[in-house]
Amino acid sequence: MGTYFKEEQKKPRWDSGQSILHKENRDSKKQEKEQKTYEVKNAYGKLDYRKKDRKNGQQREGFVLEAFEAAGTPVHTEKEKHIDRTSMKKVSHGNKKTLFASETPLRNQALFYEMSGSKKSADFLKCMKQLIHQRGHQTLKDAFGFLEQEPEQLELLAQREMGKGLSPQKKEGETAFAAQEKDSQNIPSLEEFSQRNKRIDTLNSRLLRKEAKELQLRNELQAMLDERTKKEQSTSTLKHAIEHQEKQQEQNEKRSHDISRTRLVQPETADSGAALESGKEEQDDEELPPHGP
């Protein structure tokens, strides 16, 4: 039993049951209208996508990562746990200036990744991987440690290179000459060969699980972006339809007004024409000679 708990303590947080990702919809309370926002969360942190909202001080649009006080995680200050929108500071991140935090240095803090002009979840995931690898970001390691796959990949490559072209050789019954030859050629024993294969299988298994979790996260984040894009397109289409309807209504009103003016002018013209015609007939009658015998 003691061994079981000892092994459990060694298990990375990303591999625990608490790291299972959940996608949730929550209604944000707004006086003007109800609006749903979407987030991905587990026991260690949450990710959601925030739109610009100048009325509430949200000047940027993008992904927000916030930390939880989950069991076994470092103690975070309030600034480290949550993004303070009024004091977001830009953090250098490669050539792009898309990363923000409430305070520096950026290690355990909540962070904001600006998505303006970029709607690909892969860009954000790449940024998260770099933060884990280059800065050792503890919040990211706790919540999304499955994004850190480089250690397993490097070890797997080394194990395969070590075992390339080598075959196991039994220790039993081997002569001194055979043992010396084996050492000179660095040929592993059967036990070493078996352990190496077992380690390779373990690394492959861990990488497959990490890749599956990363794919799930990428799909969830992309679903958020697609939902936002769909809403934007729907809003844009509705706005265009309203503008088109208003323009059509103005044209109809203008056409109706022109028709009314035409109808008011036409009777006067007809009467004038009739009067002129009548006057012409009278003049013709006067010019005719009288009929006589």
Side-chain angles (χ1 to χ4, degrees):
M1 185 64 70
T3 305
Y4 173 80
F5 283 112
K6 187 176 180 181
E7 292 298 322
E8 282 296 308
Q9 290 175 0
K10 290 182 179 179
K11 183 181 290 186
R13 292 192 178 101
W14 68 266
D15 203 17
S16 70
Q18 291 179 310
S19 69
I20 297 174
L21 299 178
H22 303 279
K23 183 179 179 183
E24 294 188 0
N25 299 345
R26 54 185 174 84
D27 293 335
S28 58
K29 296 179 181 178
K30 290 189 175 182
Q31 295 181 356
E32 296 182 2
K33 65 177 182 177
E34 290 289 324
Q35 183 178 4
K36 288 186 176 181
T37 56
Y38 303 87
E39 65 183 27
V40 176
K41 61 190 291 188
N42 58 24
Y44 302 103
K46 72 174 180 179
L47 265 171
D48 65 351
Y49 192 77
R50 295 186 185 175
K51 287 275 289 180
K52 289 182 181 179
D53 189 355
R54 300 186 186 279
K55 292 183 179 179
N56 294 329
Q58 182 69 33
Q59 302 294 330
R60 298 179 178 87
E61 175 182 353
F63 280 121
V64 178
L65 169 69
E66 296 182 339
F68 290 156
E69 291 291 351
T73 56
V75 178
H76 299 279
T77 65
E78 287 303 314
K79 284 187 177 181
E80 288 173 337
K81 284 196 299 182
H82 305 291
I83 283 289
D84 183 3
R85 291 175 295 187
T86 60
S87 63
M88 282 200 302
K89 297 178 182 179
K90 191 172 289 189
V91 182
S92 59
H93 172 63
N95 297 327
K96 294 183 178 180
K97 302 295 183 181
T98 53
L99 195 62
F100 297 83
S102 293
E103 60 181 18
T104 54
L106 181 65
R107 180 173 174 81
N108 297 337
Q109 291 79 11
L111 61 90
F112 179 92
Y113 187 86
E114 188 171 11
M115 296 293 289
S116 302
S118 174
K119 297 293 182 182
K120 296 179 181 178
S121 60
D123 295 340
F124 179 54
L125 290 179
K126 182 180 178 181
C127 170
M128 293 172 73
K129 290 180 180 181
Q130 291 176 347
L131 288 177
I132 292 175
H133 180 67
Q134 297 173 0
R135 296 180 178 264
H137 199 289
Q138 191 62 46
T139 300
L140 279 172
K141 281 186 177 180
D142 291 337
F144 306 108
F146 50 82
L147 295 174
E148 189 180 21
Q149 301 170 19
E150 189 173 357
E152 285 87 355
Q153 290 172 347
L154 292 176
E155 185 180 351
L156 183 61
L157 181 62
Q159 290 286 352
R160 285 174 173 169
E161 286 295 327
M162 288 172 61
K164 189 179 292 184
L166 299 179
S167 59
Q169 185 167 336
K170 294 184 179 180
K171 289 183 178 180
E172 296 180 0
E174 66 181 1
T175 63
F177 177 77
Q180 185 179 2
E181 186 180 2
K182 182 190 74 173
D183 292 337
S184 64
Q185 295 180 359
N186 196 25
I187 297 176
S189 64
L190 182 61
E191 183 180 357
E192 291 171 342
F193 187 81
S194 177
Q195 288 178 352
R196 184 174 296 165
N197 282 342
K198 186 177 180 181
R199 182 58 181 167
I200 289 175
D201 291 341
T202 301
L203 292 171
N204 274 326
S205 177
R206 286 173 63 85
L207 280 173
L208 286 174
R209 283 185 285 124
K210 283 189 172 186
E211 289 170 359
K213 282 178 175 284
E214 179 183 348
L215 181 61
Q216 179 192 357
L217 178 60
R218 177 178 296 183
N219 290 339
E220 296 290 2
L221 298 185
Q222 194 61 46
M224 289 186 192
L225 294 175
D226 293 342
E227 186 67 28
R228 289 294 186 183
T229 304
K230 184 178 177 181
K231 282 186 177 181
E232 290 172 359
Q233 291 177 346
S234 177
T235 303
S236 177
T237 303
L238 181 61
K239 184 178 178 181
H240 179 72
I242 293 174
E243 290 177 352
H244 179 73
Q245 186 177 1
E246 290 176 351
K247 187 176 180 180
Q248 190 70 28
Q249 187 175 355
E250 289 178 1
Q251 291 177 351
N252 292 338
E253 290 177 356
K254 184 178 179 181
R255 189 179 302 135
S256 176
H257 182 66
D258 292 342
I259 292 174
S260 299
R261 289 184 59 186
T262 303
R263 287 177 177 174
L264 289 173
V265 172
Q266 280 179 349
E268 296 178 1
T269 306
D271 292 344
S272 301
L276 288 172
E277 188 68 26
S278 176
K280 186 177 180 181
E281 290 178 356
E282 290 177 358
Q283 186 177 3
D284 292 341
D285 291 340
E286 291 175 357
E287 292 177 356
L288 291 174
H291 294 280

